Amino acid sequence: MTTTSTPFSGTFISFEGIDGAGKSTHIGALAAAFKAQGRAVTLTREPGGTPLAETLRTLVLNDSMDPLTEALLMFAARRDHLSCVILPALARGDVVLCDRFTDATFAYQGGGRGFDEAVLSQLETMVQGTAGLGATQLIQPELTVWFDLAPEEAAKRLAGARVPDKFESQPVEFFRRVADGYARRLIGEPGRFARINGGQTPQAVWDDVHAVFVAKGWLA
Ligand code: TYD
């Protein structure tokens, strides 16, 4: 099993969606399904996934800062995560299941905050480009599963669930712009995305997610 975007033997998969879209349960179930088939799984998340990146996560999800600082911290965390966790795992042949990756930066910082997407593209090239990473082309997930849910529905699901972080406490209009940001990424690279209707029952969402992995030949 090879990835299209790295010279490594593992499989890199990311999961995206607005807060409350319900991706977490399904990521856990996919990890179990891969392990049941004998695959080694690295389950990780962004921002985070390394001690340094988790420290940056705490800062970026709680402190207020200007938009460029926020974008730089997201990409700094990503660089550490890529070089210390994701690429070594792909080199071992693991399935890497990553709860959010760069599409989240384009959706939240680009769409939600309105930060210049051309600058984000430059940072993406710098951080996921080949320099120092042993790759020959921009490192991207082989598949990105986007749990697409109406912002109003996501807000209902999140209401009262827990103390919201900096992003979760944003108004519905922010999440509408985030969802538009995800849609732009999908249009730019349709072959990488599987768009899942997150408004269904959890079982129906799982059935759709599972079908994508079966169609890829990754799960029986
Ligand atoms: P999330 O992935 O939803 O984790 P949890 O389930 O613990 O809430 O939270 C991460 C938050 O960070 C989410 O609101 C989206 C935001 N985020 C960005 O704004 N930009 C990024 O590049 C990434 C990776 C996440």
Side-chain angles (χ1 to χ4, degrees), residues 68 71-72 75 78-79 102 105-106 115-131 138 140 185:
L68 176 58
L72 288 169
F75 274 109
R78 182 160 301 130
R79 178 72 181 190
T102 302
T105 313
F106 281 82
F115 188 75
D116 187 347
E117 294 192 6
V119 175
L120 297 181
S121 293
Q122 286 178 327
L123 292 171
E124 179 183 41
T125 303
M126 196 182 294
V127 167
Q128 293 152 245
T130 56
L138 194 78
Q140 289 289 20
R185 291 287 278 181

Side-chain angles (χ1 to χ4, degrees), residues 33-45:
F34 274 111
K35 283 179 191 164
Q37 290 191 180
R39 291 293 302 271
V41 174
T42 292
L43 192 56
T44 189
R45 68 170 181 182

Side-chain angles (χ1 to χ4, degrees), residues 15-20 23-24 45-48 57 60-61 70-71 74-75 78 99-109 113 158 162 165-168 174-175 178 182:
F15 300 86
E16 298 285 356
I18 60 173
D19 292 273
K23 57 188 164 49
S24 306
R45 68 170 181 182
E46 290 211 347
R57 176 187 178 96
V60 84
L61 294 192
E70 188 173 284
M74 291 295 181
F75 274 109
R78 182 160 301 130
D99 188 343
R100 302 191 184 281
F101 195 64
T102 302
D103 300 307
T105 313
F106 281 82
Y108 279 78
Q109 281 63 54
R113 294 264 191 252
L158 280 180
R162 58 183 171 183
D165 65 32
K166 197 172 96 181
F167 295 105
E168 288 163 348
F174 176 87
F175 289 105
V178 172
Y182 279 128

Side-chain angles (χ1 to χ4, degrees), residues 59-66 69-70 113 166:
L59 293 172
V60 84
L61 294 192
N62 295 293
D63 294 3
S64 57
M65 56 190 71
D66 90 285
T69 308
E70 188 173 284
R113 294 264 191 252
K166 197 172 96 181

Side-chain angles (χ1 to χ4, degrees), residues 1-3 5-12 39-40 42 81-96 133-135 139:
M1 217 167 285
T2 55
T3 66
S5 310
T6 73
F8 308 113
S9 59
T11 310
F12 183 19
R39 291 293 302 271
T42 292
H81 189 210
L82 260 180
S83 56
C84 297
V85 170
I86 295 177
L87 293 182
L90 292 174
R92 286 194 304 270
D94 285 16
V95 176
V96 175
L133 294 179
I139 295 162

